[in-house]
Amino acid sequence: MDRACTNCATPFTITSEDKAFYTSAGPVLNGKKYPLAEPTLCPACMQQRRIAWRNERFMYRRTCDSTGKSIVSMYPPDSPFIIYDQDVWWGDSWDPLSYGRDFDFSRPFFEQFRELQLEVPRLALLNKNSENCDYINHSADNKNCYLSATVFGCEDIYHSDWAVDHCKDLVDCSYVMEGSELCYELFYGWSSYKCFYSEFLKRCQDCWFCYDCVNCKNCFLSCNLRNKEYCYENEQLTKEAYEEKLQSILPLGYTASRTFRDEYLKMKEERAIHPATYRINVVDSTGDLLFRTENCRDCYDLIQSKDCAHCYSALDMQDSMDAYHVGWSELMYECHAIAKGYKCTACHFTYESKNALYCDFCHNSRDLFGCCGLNQKQHCILNKQYSKEEYEELAGKIVKHMQKSGEWSEFFPIEYSLFAFNQSRAMEFYAITEEEAKERGIRWSSYQPPDPEVEKVIPADKLPELISDIPDDVLNWAIRCEVTDVPFQIVPKELELYRLLGLPVPRRHPNQRYDDRVAMRTPWKLFERTCSKCGEGMQSTHQPSPADAGLRSAGSPDGKEKVYCEACYLGAVY
């Protein structure tokens, strides 16, 4: 069944499978089934609403509202919420049930829940079981990490995001997994060692400015290689010739690094072959960046998942729809930042919980409705404790109330987000202007953190070209970003890694380096275009080339990159 999005008017389809899910995922209260309501927004607008509730990379210095201690938080000092340090929030000095209140059937649910959120203390950062990691967020089980996010089970990670599974000594990397080590500016890498300024490398070693390579060693400015060694610009060299070539290049100066980056981007446009979508061990699934998925529809950045639709950046999910950053969970709908959950609807920052409805930052709990900040609780509504019978009777009445108000099955409104839109990840994928935000009633922030307190601030172009000429005093300076003029600092371990790897000190702020990296990412959307080799129609996250539709390509300034269907791509690279 087709309908039009109430936000952007884009048509979207609700399938029979979707309708079956809305029934199966709905709660059972007092023996009565309450199916989820069919969505009023298209999947993209639903995702924009969810992702606007996530800030993972921006961290601010502020005070703990309990102790007055200076802390680091994902919430800036001008945030309207009460923020506690980790030790206080997880401690026994406060009781989240003390904020409980009765439900008022004369008012909308979201309005009442917002009032609860403004009163219940929030955790400054999401960071569990880590050592010497005061400046990381949405992470767990790490050691010695700094200014990074979505890092799990890693050590010595700096200015990076989505580093998981025993990675070590990474700087400025994104989506790097499976024990990768000593890498810099690597975007999508698996089990790789000493790889720099590269994308989509798997089991590679000592590679520079390479794209889409597997099982390769000692390669430079090359693309689409498999099981190769000593290649320069895709030309096979002898070991001696390759090493002689690199001796004339390394150690890399900063200007040379930018020149080679330009050559790398030119290589991606003119020489590289791009798969229509990136898929590994995928069965009956559509979307992009899918790994070991089965029967997943319109999904992106999905790992080891089954029977999902419209899910993004998720791991080990089953039977779920419209979710973002969810892991090890089942029967999720309209959820964000859930781990080890079961049958949750419209939940946010909720962990190891079951049968949760409209909950925010609740842990190790079950059978909750509209709760905030609870841990190891059951049968609570708006943070008030009930018996099982009382809970199910009242919860059913609230569902009916929300059905009448049009709130049932809708995620929390974007205007109630915990973060200003320009402080959230939504700006990366669904950017809007400040004027657009104001027109839609969405919060926008003009807050700017103070400059670091240092001996001096130097322009980036005053830095020496080579790492060997960088003095230890750089640790006492701030460097003014060559793009944004925002000052930033280098920390000791970071400088140690640059020296170890022979890399130049960066001249761009970490946020600008991140923006440069993700600018190469294709959108979470499938376009109709033709294969650059066989001419057959296909779907791809690379926008149509001028020959297809007169549109500009996302991956290339003029839409000339070569994008192949799966059969042609595999035939070309293997």
Side-chain angles (χ1 to χ4, degrees), residues 42 104 161 168 191-192 235 256 321 333 394 415 426 446 539:
C42 68
D104 184 349
D161 66 296
K168 186 178 180 181
S191 305
S192 292
E235 180 184 355
M321 287 187 66
Y333 180 68
L394 180 57
E415 57 268 26
S446 58
Q539 288 189 319

Side-chain angles (χ1 to χ4, degrees), residues 69-263:
K69 171 186 172 183
S70 177
I71 61 173
V72 177
S73 173
M74 67 178 117
Y75 304 94
D78 63 351
S79 171
F81 301 99
I82 297 170
I83 308 302
Y84 282 4
D85 193 14
Q86 296 219 46
D87 292 341
V88 178
W89 197 93
W90 289 107
D92 299 326
S93 62
W94 69 288
D95 180 10
L97 290 180
S98 67
Y99 300 91
R101 72 243 2 241
D102 295 327
F103 188 82
D104 184 349
F105 285 93
S106 68
R107 301 170 59 203
F109 167 82
F110 287 133
E111 183 180 292
Q112 298 179 64
F113 188 73
R114 180 60 164 186
E115 293 170 357
L116 181 67
Q117 283 183 311
L118 289 167
E119 293 184 25
V120 177
R122 307 192 65 81
L123 188 60
L125 291 172
L126 301 174
N127 182 10
K128 290 185 175 182
N129 304 322
S130 295
E131 177 184 344
N132 190 29
C133 295
D134 294 338
Y135 297 84
I136 66 173
N137 195 19
H138 286 278
S139 301
D141 306 313
N142 301 296
K143 183 178 180 181
N144 302 332
C145 298
Y146 178 73
L147 285 182
S148 296
T150 320
V151 179
F152 295 91
C154 297
E155 185 174 348
D156 291 299
I157 309 296
Y158 299 83
H159 307 301
S160 299
D161 66 296
W162 198 289
V164 298
D165 193 13
H166 303 97
C167 293
K168 186 178 180 181
D169 293 320
L170 307 180
V171 184
D172 288 320
C173 292
S174 294
Y175 298 93
V176 180
M177 297 155 266
E178 298 176 3
S180 294
E181 187 174 346
L182 287 171
C183 296
Y184 180 73
E185 286 283 8
L186 178 60
F187 190 47
Y188 281 97
W190 297 263
S191 305
S192 292
Y193 178 77
K194 284 191 175 180
C195 292
F196 315 106
Y197 309 99
S198 298
E199 296 175 81
F200 293 98
L201 301 189
K202 191 169 186 178
R203 297 187 297 275
C204 291
Q205 180 177 332
D206 292 298
C207 290
W208 297 76
F209 302 98
C210 288
Y211 174 76
D212 184 34
C213 294
V214 179
N215 294 329
C216 294
K217 293 182 180 180
N218 301 300
C219 294
F220 197 100
L221 205 58
S222 296
C223 56
N224 303 125
L225 297 181
R226 301 295 186 267
N227 308 307
K228 297 293 185 180
E229 189 170 7
Y230 304 121
C231 291
Y232 187 94
E233 293 186 344
N234 281 58
E235 180 184 355
Q236 182 67 64
L237 303 180
T238 65
K239 178 178 183 292
E240 294 73 20
Y242 180 85
E243 290 179 347
E244 182 179 352
K245 186 78 172 176
L246 256 64
Q247 282 178 0
S248 67
I249 296 172
L250 303 179
L252 202 65
Y254 184 75
T255 301
S257 74
R258 300 306 299 179
T259 299
F260 279 118
R261 179 175 173 82
D262 290 342
E263 288 295 313

Side-chain angles (χ1 to χ4, degrees), residues 516-530:
D516 292 343
R517 204 158 55 244
V518 301
M520 299 182 289
R521 177 177 51 200
T522 55
W524 283 338
K525 184 177 181 180
L526 292 173
F527 302 92
E528 298 292 337
R529 63 171 295 160
T530 58

Side-chain angles (χ1 to χ4, degrees), residues 1 3 40 52 65 84 86 95 109 134 144 159 186 259 265 284 349 366 371 456-457 490 502 505 533:
M1 180 177 66
R3 60 178 57 190
T40 59
D65 288 317
Y84 282 4
Q86 296 219 46
D95 180 10
F109 167 82
D134 294 338
N144 302 332
H159 307 301
L186 178 60
T259 299
L265 295 177
D284 296 330
F349 286 170
R366 59 182 298 164
C371 292
K456 62 180 178 180
V457 179
I490 304 294
V505 167
K533 183 174 177 62

Side-chain angles (χ1 to χ4, degrees), residues 44 51 60 72 118 121 134 143 165 186 289 336 356 371 375 413 449 463 467 483 485 500 503 533 556 569:
I51 201 171
Y60 308 89
V72 177
L118 289 167
D134 294 338
K143 183 178 180 181
D165 193 13
L186 178 60
L289 295 164
H336 162 241
C371 292
N375 185 29
L463 285 172
I467 185 63
V483 176
D485 284 335
L500 174 66
L503 297 170
K533 183 174 177 62
S556 164
Y569 169 78

Side-chain angles (χ1 to χ4, degrees), residues 380-449:
C380 297
I381 298 175
L382 292 180
N383 283 37
K384 184 175 179 179
Q385 185 68 63
Y386 293 91
S387 69
K388 179 180 184 296
E389 294 74 19
E390 291 171 332
Y391 170 83
E392 295 204 355
E393 181 179 358
L394 180 57
K397 291 179 179 179
I398 295 174
V399 171
K400 292 178 182 177
H401 176 78
M402 295 177 71
Q403 288 172 335
K404 291 179 181 178
S405 66
E407 298 171 295
W408 177 238
S409 304
E410 298 286 342
F411 192 71
F412 303 108
I414 194 170
E415 57 268 26
Y416 283 171
S417 171
L418 305 175
F419 310 102
F421 193 92
N422 57 322
Q423 293 170 333
S424 75
R425 288 207 78 193
M427 280 295 287
E428 293 180 31
F429 298 89
Y430 306 98
I432 62 175
T433 64
E434 182 176 359
E435 291 71 26
E436 290 174 311
K438 289 179 179 178
E439 288 176 3
R440 295 174 58 183
I442 300 174
R443 193 155 60 94
W444 191 273
S445 176
S446 58
Y447 175 80
Q448 293 293 332

